[in-house]
């Protein structure tokens, strides 16, 4: 009998100064990997300190979540950055989070790029290479998260990194394996059952049915979930419940 | 026969984005320890990458130079920060520089606080404690630089850190061992010979003559020098020449 | 029969990029003057655009709320800024808000300094002078808000500005007319009735009873209220209701 | 006899905090319009205060030079900003500079977008529209600078603004009237005589010869020049000298 395993990851630690965002304490109860903002697109040294501590206390895998230098745009706006620049700011951000891992006596487990940087790394080979190389050069034991089938996964494999292919529960896919852009009508899956079903199919069959009905090959090492509002949080609880019922092993990648 | 040793340290890596500051390549030829800005009061990920590389190539000791979060004020303005906040932003900045040490395969050697943070740590025991504890918690092998006789040196010793007491060639001292504030007339020593003489006396006799003639006990592990203009650079070359002539061993602290 | 008049002012427009703070739409229904953050300690160009529009739609007096350049510290931390620097960043921030007043075809009514800058201007004559001069030089018709009895009010009067002396409903006073620091036990008034009573006495009798029982002279042109949480908002509604019942004319300063 | 007139404009006021850039005092002696950075891509409130004062003293036309929010990238990197966002940050930046014009009792004359924003506005009609509308809504007497033949000039004309078509002395043109990208070999004109000749032809004949020999219609109201290094400065002096010899009236647009 096959032994299925899945990781649930979420972006956390996005609060900044006087500004609080996200239900971090709650989402940490249901996820297995935390992507912690490192001060470029969100987060600050106080948030990072607290978030690493809480993630460790919850036994959740700790990951650096480097983003574009754009607090105002939350790292979601495309910026025309050089690959060389990317290599360096990813190094900076992983290093900064490493500081907090050191003071909290906990290992960093993974790295996941944020927002526009994540999207750029999915299709732009030079950006993907810059990120993968920075991760390897800082610590070759770090696991590199990336969109399943993306340039980033390829670049990580080329560098000999352990990679984790990421899938989405609440997003639809295009026939070429990319996510349907949010600007399009069919982009989001709002029905929880349908979302759970999509995840189960990705785990069991390594495939997803694209918006036009085409079956697409996919690797599901980790599912991206959200904790920025009570509704999103509730869906993660449902998803986790259903995965458990199926007997799927929910644990952080690499554990 | 006594064997005298001294370190020459300078702040470098203070350029930011399109803005260049400091004669970094030149000063790296004459100093033994480089205090590298970490992005809060100056510097950025590109500057840090380049500076760690060049410092390594010159065999200069690499140090993190954490400062207050104040690029516009260059970290020179007092900000009423909590010790808890200091602990965290020092951790962040050391961690970030550590990232560049990792990708360049070089060890970080020391930490020196910058500007207003350095001054606060000289007299404010809680700030000093926060910095010392952050340094120890990130890496207890890091050498903590601080003003000779300061609270920061005391805090470092309490935490079992190796400390390096810093002295100034071009500044006069008060009877209590603090530096004469720059706002006062006698604050600066502009005569190079007098500056060299002061350093020699500090190295040989562990003392300095204060502005009012009082002899003050002092420890001279490292001398703070500057490379922000050709005049300053020339003085460092003169100082280094004279120290060499005296047979004093010029090498980085801890080497 | 005496005709009493009072203004209710609140800080709004403090959201930044992805971060939302404050119940701005609600508080705008009950106040008469809005102090709008200008991008240094909080707020951004999007928030400013929306806030000026909403404030105008509510007929609320629009004020610039310049603060220290410290988004992370929300402008609440003392920074050792030069008066010359203050003059210039207050000019910058008032000018920026003026841009939004122009595009929305509405007059700016007042200026109130924020947080640490407000506190510094209460007791530091040079800082107060810098703010008052900037306000006058940008537009001498602007009304300058300041703590009743403060250096800022004095500086504004010296420059011939119309001033509005501010009082607090939920804070206790010291015998010298300053606010009891928040760090002290008796600093806050949590009983709504007592807070209303304090405001009424300040309006009717131009005095407040200090924590030690001393009566202190005070001018009450405007009351500082808060809309950052539902509890605070409810108190403002109660206060406004009680003031209305007393027949006090609630309107913006200068109207 | 025809009466030819031309404006020479340059970006100035780009220093930030401790960082100095540009030979502003020198270039102000030879230009007729100054584009002053407003704190988003460069400049700060201190630089703006000083620059407006010096520009006024030199009788140079004062212009706002709004840019993308990207100090690190100097506003030269493309950022995917919404037109609505552009409208608001252009309003903010013009307003901020207006503050300094008010305290120095001088009128603002024009607005020129900076770097990547300038380039986007040349070809993206929605961005161009956002900028033109912000300029008009803040002050419809402001003159809008834009690349000759660009979307920005078109948008300004649609809004009834006075526009100034900008040409380049040291850049070559494509057959469609756009500048040859800097990444291409023939992009820059390094021979001063050739650069002067190009400008003269643009002024006298309203045309420029593109890299492939095609004559292209062009309007030359203002020439973009640079003062960031002694070499560039010397070229501007040469250009100005030659234009004077030709009897061309060198004065700011609108004067």
């Amino acid at each position: 009998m096959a032994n299925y395993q899945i990781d649930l990851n979420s972006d956390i630690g996005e609060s900044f100064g006087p500004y609080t965002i996200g239900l971090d304490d709650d989402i940490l109860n249901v996820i297995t990997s935390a992507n912690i903002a490192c001060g470029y697109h969100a987060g600050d040294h106080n948030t990072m300190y607290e978030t690493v501590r809480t993630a460790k206390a919850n036994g959740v895998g700790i990951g650096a979540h480097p983003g574009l230098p754009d607090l105002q745009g939350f790292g979601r706006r495309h910026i025309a950055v050089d690959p060389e620049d990317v290599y360096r700011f990813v190094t900076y951000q992983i290093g900064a989070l490493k500081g907090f891992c050191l003071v909290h006596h906990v290992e960093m487990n993974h790295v996941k790029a944020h927002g526009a940087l994540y999207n750029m790394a999915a299709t732009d080979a030079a950006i993907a290479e810059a990120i993968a190389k920075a991760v390897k050069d800082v610590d070759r034991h770090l696991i590199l998260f990336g969109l399943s089938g993306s340039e980033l996964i390829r670049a990580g494999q080329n560098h000999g990194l352990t990679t984790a292919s990421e899938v989405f529960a609440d997003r639809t896919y295009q026939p070429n394996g990319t996510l349907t852009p949010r600007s399009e009508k069919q982009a989001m899956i709002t029905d929880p059952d349908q979302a759970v079903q999509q995840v189960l199919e990705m785990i069991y069959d390594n495939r997803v049915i694209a918006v036009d009905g085409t079956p697409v090959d996919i690797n599901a090492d980790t599912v991206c979930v959200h904790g920025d509002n009570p509704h999103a949080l509730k869906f993660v609880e449902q998803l986790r419940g259903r995965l458990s019922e199926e007997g799927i092993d929910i644990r952080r990648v690499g554990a």
Side-chain angles (χ1 to χ4, degrees), chain A residues 28 31-33 53-62 252:
Chain A
L28 278 170
I31 61 173
T32 46
S33 288
R53 181 169 61 180
T54 319
K56 180 191 176 190
N58 281 267
V60 168
I62 288 167
R252 71 173 164 84

Side-chain angles (χ1 to χ4, degrees), chain A residues 127-176:
Chain A
I127 299 289
E129 163 67 16
I131 296 172
K133 189 166 187 330
V135 170
K136 189 196 73 175
D137 289 354
V138 173
D139 180 353
R140 67 190 177 79
H141 298 296
L142 289 167
I143 299 167
L144 181 62
F145 281 36
L147 184 67
S148 173
S150 66
E151 289 291 338
L152 187 54
I153 291 295
R154 236 183 311 280
Q157 288 167 344
N158 288 346
H159 279 289
L161 291 169
T162 302
T163 58
S165 291
E166 185 172 46
V167 297
F168 290 76
D170 59 350
R171 299 287 297 275
T172 64
Y173 285 77
Q174 295 290 297
N176 67 354

Side-chain angles (χ1 to χ4, degrees), chain A residues 10 33 35 41 52 56 61 78 80 93 111 117 119 124 132 140 147 154 163-165 171 186 204 207 234 239 251:
Chain A
S10 184
S33 288
N35 318 311
H41 70 278
V52 170
K56 180 191 176 190
H78 180 277
Q93 294 181 62
V111 175
L117 184 64
N119 293 334
D124 182 327
R140 67 190 177 79
L147 184 67
R154 236 183 311 280
T163 58
S165 291
R171 299 287 297 275
Q186 293 178 296
Y204 288 142
R207 66 169 201 182
K234 201 181 158 200
L239 175 64
R251 61 164 70 188

